[in-house]
Amino acid sequence: MSPKVDFNYRLSWNLFLIVSGSLLQALGYKGIAAMHGFVPSGLFGLAALIEYNGGLLDAGVWYLLLNIPMFVLGYLYIGRRFLGYSFVAMLVVALAYSLLPLELPITDQLYAAVSFGVLSGSGAGIVLRSLGSNGGLDVVAVILNQRFNIGVGKTYFLFNLLLFSCSFASLDTDLVIASLIAAFVASVCIEYSLSLFSQRKLCLIISPRSDAIAAQIMAKLRIGATFLEGTGAYKKEPRRVLMVVTNNIQLKRLEEITFTTDPHSLFIVENTFTVIGSTFSRRKIY
């Protein structure tokens, strides 16, 4: 019997994320950005800028052509599975933009910029939840990060800085500012899409009754806990700090257990995004 494949690694699930996210992006690019002349961020933005400045081909075709050197580099330096999924995402965006009659009747420029940011950012975030990427600049950013420890955010910042500087030189100022608004909204939506269903709460509980609290947590919430050895700074007395990782749904129940057991407990909560291992999510292997 073949070993059970983790749901996040299944081909069907990853293709679903990639295709649905890419179609959302294409809807934003073709249905809003192209109608208003907005410049998207990333490599598709360069493709759009070429089209706006008299390119013989549409942005979808330019995007395919600009991706050729990116995927050649990716083939040499990145895992084949990551590259294959990223290629599908790039292909869906390019073909949907070039072939599908996508149009959203939004006339106000500000509303259009915000709507475009929401669609493109949400779509990009959905794709990034898969084992691939959106292609284009993502591929180069991953290579630079793996080989030279250059942050992915820095690569995007420098590229977009150059892209929007060129846009100011060749396009109407209002259009470029609207494009910047869309890029900001998109970045927020990407972060939200990535954190959806993945955000966890890291709780530190300091109490002389930490053993009783831990027993209640494991019995009622059926989640694990870890004791950390600490020392009080004032009295120099040893203390056991209880560390628990939970989600938003169980957080209130955890708080109730803590203060019901010891009303004088110190209860500290921190937001955390990446929790890998044990009963939580597995590390993505690209």
Side-chain angles (χ1 to χ4, degrees):
M1 182 180 294
S2 60
K4 184 179 180 181
V5 179
D6 187 279
F7 182 77
N8 291 323
Y9 284 80
R10 289 182 180 176
L11 176 65
S12 57
W13 173 245
N14 281 276
L15 288 178
F16 170 76
L17 291 175
I18 288 168
V19 172
S20 58
S22 298
L23 287 175
L24 271 180
Q25 290 181 78
L27 177 60
Y29 292 148
K30 182 71 172 287
I32 302 177
M35 291 178 59
H36 290 267
F38 296 153
V39 179
S41 59
L43 198 65
F44 199 95
L46 178 58
L49 190 60
I50 295 174
E51 179 185 1
Y52 297 157
N53 284 279
L56 299 177
L57 307 171
D58 70 26
V61 179
W62 280 114
Y63 186 56
L64 276 173
L65 296 176
L66 291 172
N67 265 285
I68 293 174
M70 306 298 178
F71 279 92
V72 170
L73 290 173
Y75 180 80
L76 297 174
Y77 297 111
I78 307 181
R80 302 296 182 263
R81 178 170 58 185
F82 172 82
L83 198 64
Y85 283 138
S86 301
F87 180 79
V88 172
M90 179 273 297
L91 198 63
V92 171
V93 169
L95 293 179
Y97 183 92
S98 297
L99 302 178
L100 298 181
L102 304 173
E103 183 176 336
L104 293 178
I106 304 174
T107 56
D108 184 88
Q109 189 178 68
L110 178 59
Y111 292 168
V114 173
S115 301
F116 167 52
V118 170
L119 284 175
S120 60
S122 299
I126 291 172
V127 173
L128 290 174
R129 291 187 68 93
S130 74
L131 294 177
S133 74
N134 293 284
L137 199 60
D138 285 1
V139 177
V140 175
V142 169
I143 294 174
L144 293 176
N145 180 255
Q146 290 183 349
R147 296 184 66 83
F148 304 106
N149 200 31
I150 299 174
V152 173
K154 291 181 180 179
T155 301
Y156 269 93
F157 176 79
L158 292 174
F159 181 87
N160 288 326
L161 179 64
L162 180 61
L163 174 66
F164 285 112
S165 296
C166 294
S167 300
F168 272 115
S170 59
L171 299 177
D172 182 75
T173 302
D174 288 349
L175 281 177
V176 181
I177 292 174
S179 300
L180 288 169
I181 293 173
F184 173 77
V185 174
S187 66
V188 173
C189 289
I190 289 174
E191 290 297 324
Y192 185 79
S193 297
L194 290 174
S195 64
L196 191 64
F197 306 123
S198 299
Q199 192 175 53
R200 297 290 185 266
K201 300 293 185 180
L202 175 63
C203 304
L204 299 175
I205 303 167
I206 303 175
S207 167
R209 301 200 62 196
S210 55
D211 289 281
I213 295 173
Q216 290 285 330
I217 290 172
M218 290 185 287
K220 294 183 178 180
L221 300 185
R222 299 189 180 280
I223 58 177
T226 302
F227 284 115
L228 306 176
E229 299 299 330
T231 303
Y234 182 66
K235 294 184 178 181
K236 310 300 181 184
E237 296 177 346
R239 292 187 178 182
R240 303 182 79 184
V241 179
L242 185 62
M243 183 179 72
V244 182
V245 178
T246 187
N247 54 38
N248 289 323
I249 297 173
Q250 290 185 314
L251 179 62
K252 199 64 183 177
R253 294 181 63 195
L254 176 62
E255 180 184 324
E256 183 68 22
I257 288 172
T258 300
F259 288 104
T260 300
T261 307
D262 180 8
H264 302 290
S265 297
L266 181 61
F267 189 79
I268 305 167
V269 180
E270 288 286 344
N271 289 321
T272 182
F273 174 65
T274 304
V275 181
I276 301 174
S278 185
T279 58
F280 297 97
S281 60
R282 292 177 56 188
R283 181 175 68 93
K284 286 186 178 181
I285 302 174
Y286 294 108

